[in-house]
């Protein structure tokens, strides 16, 4: 294949351009793969754990915040003779520095349901588990990892209390899948779990296997008949789907960001391939004259692209695997901060993510190559088509591209105003606007370089004029490079403004929401957003401070139901504090009396958005007295949970949920008492208990830190996109300079010094950077608006402030000029150093 | 009389530059017998290259008919014309136009590969041709290592390797000094005459006209036989 050899050698002839193109594909693929992997890994880990722990259960009996009375299980077994049923007590505890899910079971009731307990190695183990309190089982792998030995005793913390646990033996799951799922699970007898988790006499839930059909329906009705009002039967699948539901928007946001990196990567490939075709227009014309057919030219270009695409994809997958485990850590941390505690173990790159990345990399490369390949095919079979003719042909497309750009932008905007499009519609619209905007870039480049020409002329003289003209003359090069830079920089601006506005919003909200001076919660973070109750004795001890400070008691619980769970936050709050709450809808003064009595509730903004609730509507909650409707007295801003919360007064909670426990306390100093003294008083009364005592400032600080952590992954993706853009502009500029080597060599021959040539080239690149920076400002601001008012609203229902600071915009401008300048240094040095004679001789 | 290998009937061709029209051929007719050597003179810009493009099917006439080896090129599809070119025509350009990323040997072998005759016999022929043009030892070199004359000799070998019926040469000596130019023409003489290959050659140099069977020039958009040249008008 002599013809193909010519193509391949061409790829090798400009190795740095090829390497940059490969790098661009690799980075794009790596980011997409890594994000995909992280999302998948987290989702799979959760689903597996939920499924393994649920076993073959078809239904679950769930209770209120304090679970179910043990008695219900006894009645089900004895009175109703429901055979496929097993009680479960579960909670979190810390052992050897890791958070475990403790699952208390009844070994005799288990076999039909779950497999982790069906093969206890020996009867003796079973006896130990049931007769010796404080004995647990775990996976041998986990034990080995933490250097825990069978038979030994270790301290474990739960709900602020330290107890000794003995490792009685090992779990022996029947298959590899449950092994992965059980990595952070401890299994023990139900009595041990009740004791450890402070749930004596209570159960977390009862798992059931109901037969299909009429028989199952009958059992369901019978069981339901004996359930107390606070309990309910829900399908077992409901919980496993919880993560999907809760984190969908979060994952979608990540995915969109990762796709952006790929889009920028595609610009890079497009640029490389177009350049490679334009540079060889003579050669292609020659081949056509020799009788090489259009189809063969097309195939040759595509093969070249495929080579780059495959190399980039392979490199990208390797990098994606490395980046993937890091992103998995970030994603898991965010999920732990925002949603629930789970542990995701390191897993090799998932086949799904791998194939998707591979396909996307190769497909994106080929798609980005199409314009170039088509142009090559269209080249007439003679070697006379000049550079200027190519540019003229391109320029004729300019009005078309500009019109197309406006149409795409209009279409994208249309999507923003159709509520039905949802989040996906929002992202599609965003991408349409971005792509449409890039189509406007070439026209804008022409306009701006004409406008900036006088400036360059005054700074650099006639060399400046040459630089300005150079940008326009090779518009097919500079247009693409500028567009890629614009996309990346504007993404930076857009996400930056969004995160900045969000941060500011959260800070303002915290100022209204956190009004007390000192907060006390359990130190145990095993339950994620939910903390275990404080010791009642401690609550009593601290309540004595009533004389010195205003004391509030709060409790955050999750009410499980058939349609997933509802987060219920209850607190006893003074009127003065209540009136300062950040109300979005409703009137605090009017809401106060019904709220205090517990007759009405407040809902947070995301809750109101998701469930379409407004003052005057009502929320249905399953209380200990059965389902009850609570009128919504107001909607308040809350940025603590994106699924939304229902807020109830403590009086209402006590009356409806038969749970007197408290998991948080706050203290507001009365006049005359300073903060330091209050802290001292609280600390003194806490004594040796494992609780966190923080001041208002510390709590705000911690909340903002969580916020920043949540957006750390966004920052990483933003940086990677920027990196792809940088590689893009570097390769575009190099391509441009290689192409113009002859022209510049002529200048050298006429008598321009290397320094002057350098000046022309750098003037051009800086001009490109400046233009790209200017053009990215409107797009970046538009992106921020869309992110705030469309994407985030549709994802989470949050209202955010818009805060655009000149510093942010200036930074973006500086960034793009610097990137362009840096990217221009190497090529211009190279050009300035080449001997004029050499460059003149080179034919292609 | 044998069927002409190249035949133009009432060919019109013009180019548009913006809204201005430039007429290159108004009404050109021509008939070339197989094996004839036709040299084409004319001022720069008179349309010599355009004529070669029309004959090779690279370009199509606006009016009239171009027949090569019996087929009307206007009636062939773009692909058919390409295949026709690769199989039956050898091209030599003024600027050598070797593929810079292929070695000398590979450049010569390329037409064989394109026409699907990259056989041992074909390779032998390529080697013989390289030997004939005096570059047998430069087969592995890349074109940019060669001097202009050497490059043009490679181009001649490339144009002849697949034994085309018709060779088109567009100022093959235009970039060479007189002596090197004569070497190239000698090559044509040695390699084309015995095989009876038809040659259409564009040149500026009057002294080579004696090699031609027929000499043409382009005047005001028509082809005319240049008077006073032996063999003209045959
Ligand atoms: N692709 C083209 N577009 C416009 N004009 C062309 C094109 N090709 C040739 N011409 C014009 O046609 C005329 C003849 O060109 P050509 O055949 O190349 O002349 P020459 O006799 O020097 O080879 C010239 O005036 C040239 O400008
Ligand atoms: Mg010519």
């Amino acid at each position: 294949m002599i013809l193909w050899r010519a193509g391949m050698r061409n790829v090798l002839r400009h190795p740095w351009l090829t390497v940059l193109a490969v790098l661009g594909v690799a980075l794009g693929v790596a980011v997409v793969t890594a994000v995909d992997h992280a999302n998948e890994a987290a989702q799979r880990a959760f689903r597996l754990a939920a499924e393994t722990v649920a076993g073959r259960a078809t239904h679950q009996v769930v209770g209120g915040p304090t679970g179910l009375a043990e008695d219900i299980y006894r009645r089900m077994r004895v009175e109703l003779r429901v055979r496929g049923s097993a009680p479960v007590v579960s909670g979190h505890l810390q052992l050897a520095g890791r958070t475990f899910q403790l699952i208390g079971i009844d070994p005799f009731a288990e076999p039909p349901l779950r497999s982790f307990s069906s093969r206890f190695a020996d009867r003796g183990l079973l006896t130990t588990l049931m007769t010796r309190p404080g004995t647990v089982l775990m996976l041998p792998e986990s034990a080995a990892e933490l250097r825990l030995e069978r038979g030994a005793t270790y301290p474990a913390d739960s709900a602020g209390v330290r107890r000794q646990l003995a490792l009685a033996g090992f779990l022996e799951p029947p298959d590899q899948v449950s092994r992965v799922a059980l990595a952070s699970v401890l299994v023990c007898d139900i009595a041990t779990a009740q004791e450890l988790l402070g749930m004596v006499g209570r159960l977390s839930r009862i798992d059931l296997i109901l037969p299909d059909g009429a028989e199952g329906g009958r059992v369901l009705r019978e069981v339901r008949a004996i359930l107390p009002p606070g309990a309910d039967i829900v399908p077992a699948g409901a919980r496993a789907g919880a993560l999907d539901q809760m984190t969908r928007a979060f994952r979608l946001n990540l995915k969109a960001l990762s796709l952006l990196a790929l889009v920028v990567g595609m610009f890079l490939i497009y640029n490389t391939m177009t350049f490679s075709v334009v540079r060889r227009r003579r050669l292609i014309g020659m081949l056509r004259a020799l009788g090489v057919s259009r189809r063969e030219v097309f195939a040759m270009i595509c093969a070249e692209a495929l080579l780059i695409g495959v190399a980039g994809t392979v490199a990208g997958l390797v990098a994606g695997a490395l980046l993937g485990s890091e992103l998995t850590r970030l994603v898991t941390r965010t999920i732990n901060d925002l949603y629930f505690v789970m542990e995701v173990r390191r897993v090799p790159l998932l086949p799904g993510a791998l194939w998707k990345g591979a396909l996307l990399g190769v497909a994106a490369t080929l798609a980005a190559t199409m314009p170039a390949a088509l142009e090559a095919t269209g080249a007439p079979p003679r070697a006379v088509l000049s550079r200027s003719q190519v540019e003229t042909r391109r320029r004729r497309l300019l009005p078309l591209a500009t019109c197309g750009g406006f149409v795409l932008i209009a279409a994208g905007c249309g999507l923003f105003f159709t509520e039905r499009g949802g989040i996906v519609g929002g992202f599609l619209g965003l991408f349409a606007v971005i792509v449409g905007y890039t189509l406007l870039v070439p026209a804008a480049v022409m306009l701006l370089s004409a406008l900036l020409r006088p400036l360059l002329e005054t700074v650099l003289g006639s060399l400046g004029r040459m630089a300005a003209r150079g940008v326009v003359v090779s518009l097919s090069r500079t247009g693409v490079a500028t567009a890629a830079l614009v996309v990346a920089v504007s993404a930076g601006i857009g996400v930056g403004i969004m995160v900045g506005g969000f941060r500011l919003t959260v800070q303002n909200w915290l100022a209204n929401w956190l009004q007390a001076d000192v907060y006390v919660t359990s130190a145990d973070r095993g339950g994620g957003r939910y903390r275990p109750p404080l010791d009642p004795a401690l609550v009593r001890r601290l309540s004595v401070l009533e004389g010195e400070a205003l004391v509030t008691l709060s409790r955050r619980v999750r009410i499980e139901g058939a349609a997933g769970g509802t987060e219920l936050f209850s607190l006893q709050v003074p009127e003065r504090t209540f009136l300062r709450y950040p109300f979005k809808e409703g009137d605090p003064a009017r809401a106060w009396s019904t709220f205090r009595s517990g007759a009405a509730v407040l809902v947070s903004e995301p809750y109101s958005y998701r469930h379409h609730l407004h003052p005057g509507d009502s929320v249905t909650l399953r209380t200990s007295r059965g389902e009850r409707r609570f009128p919504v007295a107001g909607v308040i801003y809350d940025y603590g949970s994106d699924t939304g919360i229902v807020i109830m007064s403590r009086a209402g909670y006590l009356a409806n949920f038969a749970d007197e426990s408290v998991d948080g306390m706050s203290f507001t100093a009365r006049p005359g008492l300073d903060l330091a003294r209050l802290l001292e008083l609280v600390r003194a009364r806490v004594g040796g208990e494992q609780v966190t005592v923080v001041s208002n400032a510390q709590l705000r600080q911690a909340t903002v830190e969580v916020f920043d952590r949540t957006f750390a992954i966004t920052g990483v993706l933003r940086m990677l996109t920027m990196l792809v853009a940088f590689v893009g502009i570097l390769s575009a500029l190099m391509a441009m300079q290689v192409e113009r080597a002859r022209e510049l060599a002529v200048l050298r021959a006429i008598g321009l010094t290397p320094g002057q040539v350098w000046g022309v080239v750098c003037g051009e690149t800086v001009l490109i950077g400046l233009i790209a920076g200017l053009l990215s400002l409107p797009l970046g601001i538009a992106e921020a608006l869309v992110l705030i008012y469309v994407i985030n609203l549709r994802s989470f229902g949050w209202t955010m402030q818009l805060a655009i600071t000149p510093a942010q915009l200036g930074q973006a401008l500086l960034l793009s000029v610097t990137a362009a300048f840096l990217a221009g240094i190497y090529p211009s040095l190279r050009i300035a150093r080449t001997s004029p004679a050499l460059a003149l001789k080179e034919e292609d | 009389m044998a069927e002409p290998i190249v035949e133009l009937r009432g060919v019109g061709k013009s180019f548009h530059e913006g809204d201005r029209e430039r007429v290159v051929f108004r009404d050109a007719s021509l008939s070339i017998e197989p094996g004839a050597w036709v040299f084409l003179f004319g001022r720069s810009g008179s349309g010599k290259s355009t004529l070669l493009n029309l004959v090779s099917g690279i370009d199509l006439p606006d009016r009239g008919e171009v027949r090569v080896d019996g087929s009307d090129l206007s009636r062939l599809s773009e692909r058919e014309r390409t295949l026709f070119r690769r199989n039956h025509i050898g091209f030599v350009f003024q600027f050598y136009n070797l593929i810079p990323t292929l070695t000398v040997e590979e450049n010569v072998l390329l037409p064989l590969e394109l026409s699907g005759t990259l056989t041992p016999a074909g390779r032998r022929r390529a080697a013989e041709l390289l030997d004939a043009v005096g570059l047998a030892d430069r087969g592995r070199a890349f074109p940019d290592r060669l001097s202009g004359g050497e490059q043009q000799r490679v181009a001649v070998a490339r144009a002849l390797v697949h034994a085309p019926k018709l060779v088109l040469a567009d100022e093959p000596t235009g970039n060479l000094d007189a002596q090197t130019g004569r070497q190239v023409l000698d090559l044509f003489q040695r390699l084309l005459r015995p095989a009876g290959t038809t040659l259409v050659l564009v040149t500026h140099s009057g002294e080579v006209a004696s090699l031609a069977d027929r000499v043409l020039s382009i005047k005001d958009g028509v082809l005319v036989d240049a008077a006073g040249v032996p063999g003209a008008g045959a």
Side-chain angles (χ1 to χ4, degrees):
Chain A
M1 293 312 275
I2 295 173
L3 186 60
W4 292 60
R5 228 179 281 163
M8 292 308 128
R9 285 205 194 120
N10 182 66
V11 171
L12 298 177
R13 197 168 234 219
H14 297 283
W16 58 91
L17 288 178
T18 310
V19 165
L20 287 178
V22 168
L23 196 63
V25 184
L27 280 171
V29 169
V31 174
V32 173
T33 315
V35 167
D36 218 43
H37 169 77
N39 279 342
E40 280 286 310
Q43 215 178 343
R44 224 174 62 136
F46 181 82
R47 230 184 258 152
L48 265 182
E51 276 164 14
T52 309
V53 169
R56 283 179 288 280
T58 59
H59 289 76
Q60 294 176 333
V61 178
V62 291
T66 55
L68 297 157
E70 242 177 1
D71 178 51
I72 298 170
Y73 176 64
R74 201 188 42 75
R75 284 183 63 193
M76 273 169 59
R77 293 295 284 211
V78 177
E79 291 172 23
L80 303 179
R81 297 179 183 283
V82 180
R83 297 273 283 297
S85 64
V88 174
V89 172
S90 80
H92 293 273
L93 57 73
Q94 269 84 35
L95 175 67
R98 225 159 91 176
T99 299
F100 281 87
Q101 191 186 1
L102 182 71
I103 302 182
I105 50 161
D106 171 2
F108 292 116
E110 282 291 300
L113 269 149
R114 264 172 290 261
S115 38
F116 58 70
S117 53
S118 64
R119 288 197 197 169
F120 290 126
D122 51 88
R123 285 266 141 196
L125 186 61
L126 214 60
T127 324
T128 317
L129 206 60
M130 295 183 62
T131 55
R132 254 189 67 199
T135 49
V136 297
L137 305 178
M138 71 196 298
L139 275 188
E141 291 92 330
S142 304
E145 231 171 84
L146 298 173
R147 297 177 206 288
L148 303 181
E149 276 163 32
R150 184 180 177 149
T153 309
Y154 301 96
D157 298 313
S158 177
V161 185
R162 172 159 291 194
R163 290 199 181 77
Q164 295 295 318
L165 285 187
L167 183 56
F170 298 119
L171 292 172
E172 281 167 32
D175 53 56
Q176 202 51 40
V177 175
S178 17
R179 241 172 223 289
V180 173
L182 293 174
S184 25
V185 166
L186 294 177
V187 174
C188 64
D189 179 56
I190 209 144
T192 299
Q194 285 174 329
E195 167 73 27
L196 281 171
L197 301 171
M199 290 184 64
V200 176
R202 314 286 300 176
L203 300 175
S204 298
R205 58 170 205 268
I206 300 166
D207 286 346
L208 288 173
I209 304 183
L210 295 186
D212 289 336
E215 171 67 6
R218 187 185 58 78
V219 179
L220 195 68
R221 273 194 304 281
E222 279 181 11
V223 173
R224 194 160 265 155
I226 66 158
L227 289 184
D232 196 7
I233 294 194
V234 298
R239 281 170 60 88
L243 176 110
D244 287 20
Q245 243 183 33
M246 275 200 225
T247 60
R248 192 178 101 90
F250 169 65
R251 284 178 290 123
L252 198 66
N253 275 297
L254 285 188
K255 195 157 279 179
L257 268 176
S258 72
L259 280 176
L260 197 65
L262 191 73
V263 168
V264 176
M266 276 175 77
F267 267 97
L268 191 60
I269 302 163
Y270 168 75
N271 198 36
T272 310
M273 292 316 295
T274 314
F275 166 71
S276 125
V277 166
V278 171
R279 181 166 44 79
R280 282 184 296 163
R281 60 193 177 275
R282 249 178 77 85
L283 179 81
I284 290 169
M286 230 146 73
L287 287 172
R288 296 276 291 119
L290 286 178
V292 174
S293 69
R294 285 194 169 149
R295 211 177 296 171
E296 284 162 332
V297 169
F298 186 80
M300 195 169 88
I301 304 292
C302 286
E304 265 181 54
L306 205 63
L307 196 74
I308 292 177
V310 168
T313 303
V314 169
L317 290 178
V318 172
L322 297 178
L323 188 63
S325 57
E326 186 55 23
L327 284 191
T328 306
R329 202 177 58 76
L330 287 176
V331 167
T332 312
R333 200 173 65 185
T334 301
I335 291 180
N336 282 345
D337 279 340
L338 296 185
Y339 304 99
F340 37 71
V341 168
M342 58 181 277
E343 190 176 345
V344 183
R345 324 239 5 245
R346 252 161 213 263
V347 278
L349 200 53
L350 298 170
L354 196 113
W355 282 115
K356 227 185 275 176
L359 206 72
L360 217 57
V362 174
T365 309
L366 285 181
T369 305
M370 268 321 119
L374 288 176
E375 173 166 329
T377 319
R382 72 194 115 170
V384 296
L385 202 60
S386 65
R387 169 101 199 101
S388 71
Q389 271 177 304
V390 173
E391 285 297 340
T392 314
R393 288 205 333 193
R394 281 292 172 92
R395 194 106 13 119
R396 242 178 266 142
L397 293 176
L398 205 63
L400 199 72
T402 310
C403 284
F406 280 120
V407 169
L408 264 179
I409 291 180
C413 290
L415 278 174
F416 299 146
F417 292 108
T418 19
E419 286 282 335
R420 287 242 302 286
I423 314 177
V424 176
F427 277 122
L428 278 181
L430 187 59
F431 274 95
V433 167
I434 293 176
V435 174
Y437 194 85
T438 59
L439 288 177
L440 303 183
V441 166
V445 168
M446 278 179 71
L447 200 75
L448 279 177
S449 41
L451 288 178
L452 291 172
R453 208 164 92 183
L455 179 80
L456 249 80
E457 228 173 303
T458 36
V459 179
L460 289 169
S462 60
L463 290 185
R465 198 178 332 138
M466 264 171 69
R469 203 168 292 143
V471 171
V472 175
V473 162
S474 42
L475 192 63
S476 64
R477 294 278 72 66
T478 47
V480 178
T482 316
L485 197 59
V486 166
V487 170
V489 174
S490 68
I493 299 176
V495 175
I497 292 179
M498 190 268 283
V499 174
F502 200 176
R503 202 167 186 273
L504 192 73
T505 309
V506 167
Q507 278 169 327
N508 288 343
W509 162 70
L510 284 175
N512 283 322
W513 185 238
L514 300 177
Q515 296 178 28
D517 296 320
V518 175
Y519 294 83
V520 174
T521 54
S522 159
D524 184 353
R525 289 232 58 184
R529 300 177 53 76
Y530 305 99
R531 306 277 186 128
L534 294 168
D535 181 3
L538 173 70
V539 175
R540 250 174 280 125
R541 272 208 310 281
L542 284 170
S543 299
V544 176
L545 286 173
E546 193 65 60
E548 281 82 23
L550 262 166
V551 181
T552 69
L553 306 176
S554 66
R555 175 94 171 110
R556 187 186 293 273
V557 295
R558 195 175 157 80
I559 314 280
E560 296 293 344
T566 302
E567 182 172 329
L568 178 67
F569 182 63
S570 63
L571 82 173
Q572 171 213 58
V573 52
E575 181 173 8
R576 195 164 58 97
T577 310
F578 182 86
L579 293 181
R580 279 175 55 201
Y581 274 174
F583 270 74
K584 183 188 182 192
E585 295 169 35
D587 173 29
R590 285 235 306 268
W592 171 241
S593 63
T594 46
F595 175 80
R596 186 181 48 180
S597 69
V601 295
L602 301 180
V603 297
S604 73
E605 189 185 22
Y607 196 90
S608 137
Y609 178 79
R610 274 175 199 247
H611 302 275
H612 311 287
L613 290 174
H614 300 282
D617 299 330
S618 59
V619 181
T620 306
L621 295 174
R622 202 186 62 248
T623 70
S624 58
R625 295 186 277 147
E627 296 213 324
R628 277 198 54 191
R629 292 155 71 85
F630 297 89
V632 174
V635 177
I636 64 164
Y637 294 108
D638 172 279
Y639 301 90
S641 149
D642 64 22
T643 40
I645 60 174
V646 175
I647 302 162
M648 183 181 267
S649 69
R650 183 152 177 85
Y653 183 71
L654 289 174
N656 287 299
F657 291 93
D659 172 24
E660 291 192 2
S661 53
V662 167
D663 59 26
M665 296 181 79
S666 77
F667 305 85
T668 313
R670 294 196 189 277
L673 185 71
D674 69 352
L675 176 61
R677 177 86 191 107
L678 179 62
L679 262 173
E680 230 170 80
L681 284 172
V682 174
R683 288 227 167 90
R685 278 176 175 68
V686 164
E689 294 268 358
Q690 288 192 4
V691 297
T692 345
V693 179
V694 291
S695 71
N696 183 306
Q698 284 168 320
L699 186 55
R700 277 190 212 183
Q701 174 74 23
T703 313
V704 172
E705 267 166 26
V706 168
F707 175 87
D708 287 341
R709 274 220 305 266
T710 311
F711 282 98
I713 188 165
T714 314
V716 169
L717 291 181
R718 210 171 81 177
M719 247 171 51
L720 285 171
T721 309
M722 221 31 236
L723 192 65
V724 181
F726 181 76
V727 172
I729 187 113
L730 183 63
S731 89
L733 290 174
M734 295 246 256
M736 218 163 88
Q737 303 312 338
V738 168
E739 191 173 5
R740 291 179 55 203
R742 278 167 69 77
E743 179 192 330
L744 293 169
V746 172
L747 289 178
R748 290 273 289 110
I750 298 173
L752 252 67
T753 64
Q756 282 173 316
V757 171
W758 196 81
V760 172
V761 175
C762 281
E764 251 182 61
T765 59
V766 168
L767 186 61
I768 289 178
L770 194 63
I771 291 176
L774 287 175
L775 288 179
S776 60
L777 298 182
L779 182 61
I781 293 174
E783 279 172 37
L785 294 177
V786 172
L787 284 175
I788 291 179
Y789 296 113
V790 180
I791 307 284
N792 258 295
L793 189 70
R794 288 187 192 174
S795 301
F796 309 116
W798 273 321
T799 306
M800 276 184 235
Q801 286 157 1
L802 178 68
I804 305 173
T805 61
Q808 271 170 329
L809 303 183
Q811 240 172 17
L813 213 55
L814 195 70
L815 184 75
S816 69
V817 171
T818 316
F821 180 70
L822 285 180
I825 288 181
Y826 173 67
S828 56
L829 278 181
R830 207 176 145 270
I831 288 294
R833 249 194 266 116
T834 30
S835 133
L838 255 183
L840 278 178
K841 187 175 182 233
E842 205 172 331
E843 261 278 335
D844 88 312
Chain B
M1 208 174 96
E3 168 128 343
I5 184 157
V6 176
E7 197 173 14
L8 271 70
R9 279 192 213 140
V11 166
K13 176 77 188 170
S14 34
F15 290 107
H16 299 269
E17 269 168 349
D19 43 357
R20 272 188 49 228
E21 189 178 48
R22 222 200 101 80
V23 180
V24 181
F25 293 114
R26 270 188 297 119
D27 181 19
S29 295
L30 171 69
S31 158
I32 301 174
E33 289 92 67
W37 278 32
V38 177
F39 283 19
L40 194 58
F41 288 88
R43 276 183 293 114
S44 170
S46 57
K48 305 181 295 293
S49 300
T50 305
L51 180 70
L52 293 196
N53 285 343
L54 289 173
V55 170
S56 62
I58 282 175
D59 221 339
L60 288 176
D62 302 334
R63 250 177 310 108
E65 201 177 281
V66 178
R67 289 181 158 276
V68 180
D69 202 21
S71 26
D72 181 353
L73 293 186
S74 311
R75 286 169 196 271
L76 298 185
S77 70
E78 160 65 38
R79 184 170 171 74
E80 284 165 333
R81 273 181 280 135
T82 305
L83 295 182
F84 178 81
R85 196 157 61 235
R86 74 159 65 153
N87 291 329
H88 301 301
I89 296 182
F91 239 119
V92 182
F93 308 89
Q94 178 176 0
F95 296 103
Y96 333 130
N97 282 346
L98 299 178
I99 313 296
T101 47
L102 293 180
T103 62
V104 164
E105 187 187 15
E106 287 166 346
N107 261 290
V108 176
L109 289 175
L110 183 60
L112 293 180
E113 185 191 90
L114 290 177
S115 58
T117 53
L118 193 53
T119 54
R123 283 179 189 278
R124 261 199 308 283
R125 183 173 159 77
E128 282 164 20
L129 273 169
L130 269 182
D131 194 30
V133 300
L135 291 169
D137 54 338
R138 305 300 294 274
R140 303 207 167 274
F142 280 93
D144 55 3
R145 305 276 151 183
L146 271 53
S147 75
E150 287 167 336
Q151 289 192 40
Q152 194 62 304
R153 272 141 64 196
V154 175
V156 169
R158 183 179 66 181
L160 304 183
V161 70
H162 54 311
K165 289 182 184 150
L166 176 63
V167 172
L168 303 175
D170 195 350
E171 301 188 39
T173 58
N175 259 21
L176 306 173
D177 60 87
Q179 203 188 336
T180 318
R182 245 188 324 276
Q183 277 181 3
V184 171
L185 282 169
D186 280 348
L187 272 179
F188 279 131
Q189 190 79 14
R190 284 213 329 266
L191 300 170
L192 292 187
R193 280 296 190 196
T197 308
T198 314
L199 170 72
V200 180
L201 183 140
V202 173
T203 181
H204 279 301
S205 133
E207 51 181 301
V208 301
S210 58
L211 296 171
D213 298 327
R214 190 174 166 195
V215 177
L216 294 173
S217 72
I218 301 169
K219 285 217 176 73
D220 302 325
V222 289
L223 285 160
V224 294
D225 278 308
V229 178

